[in-house]
């Protein structure tokens, strides 16, 4: 799966898919350095950081910690983005406000706000 993702799939993953993939690899104790490097590069991109929900930050930090994979640029980008994200999250609740973090729209037109 990691090799498949390296064939240009990672930039197409949404915030949940990318966080879930690094989570699954690390939770399964599967080391795929090339995948974690590519995911870290994607996660460090400013547009990607702005799209992450608080839950995504948590999952990524845990996954990279468990796998002992360190990427300084990714960590710095995520820490800056997390401060912006958490400072702007008002009122505190289970979902992020629509004007703070974009929501998903399902095929049936139902809108799903980002989890906090």
């Amino acid at each position: 799966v990691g090799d498949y993702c390296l064939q240009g799939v990672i930039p197409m993953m949404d915030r949940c898919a990318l966080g879930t993939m690094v989570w699954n690899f690390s939770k399964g104790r599967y080391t795929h350095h090339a995948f974690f490097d590519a995911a870290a590069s994607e996660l460090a991109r400013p547009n990607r950081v702005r799209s992450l929900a608080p839950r995504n930050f948590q999952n990524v930090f845990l996954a990279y910690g468990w796998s002992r994979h360190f990427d300084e640029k990714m960590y710095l980008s995520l820490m800056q983005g997390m401060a912006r994200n958490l400072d702007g999250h008002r009122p505190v609740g289970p979902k992020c406000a629509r004007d703070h973090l974009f929501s998903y729209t399902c095929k049936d037109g139902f809108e799903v706000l980002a989890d906090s």
Side-chain angles (χ1 to χ4, degrees), residues 2-102:
D3 291 335
Y4 171 75
C5 291
L6 292 172
Q7 297 173 10
V9 174
I10 290 175
M12 295 186 295
M13 291 179 168
D14 67 12
R15 62 182 171 225
C16 294
L18 185 54
T20 299
M21 286 302 294
V22 294
W23 171 275
N24 289 338
F25 273 84
S26 62
K27 209 51 173 155
R29 300 173 201 257
Y30 182 73
T31 304
H32 194 303
H33 295 293
F35 172 75
F36 273 83
D37 287 341
S41 294
E42 178 64 23
L43 287 162
R45 288 181 47 243
N47 284 351
R48 176 65 76 165
V49 172
R50 283 193 299 272
S51 78
L52 297 176
R55 171 181 293 197
N56 305 129
F57 285 102
Q58 172 186 318
N59 290 345
V60 169
F61 276 120
L62 287 171
Y64 275 82
W66 290 333
S67 67
R68 292 180 170 72
H69 193 97
F70 184 76
D71 185 287
E72 184 175 9
K73 183 178 178 183
M74 180 198 71
Y75 277 110
L76 291 173
S77 295
L78 290 178
M79 286 187 286
Q80 291 170 348
M82 189 166 48
R84 181 204 64 81
N85 192 317
L86 296 177
D87 288 347
H89 181 48
R90 299 284 185 267
V92 176
K95 298 287 185 178
C96 292
R98 182 179 299 106
D99 61 348
H100 175 65
L101 191 63
F102 73 88

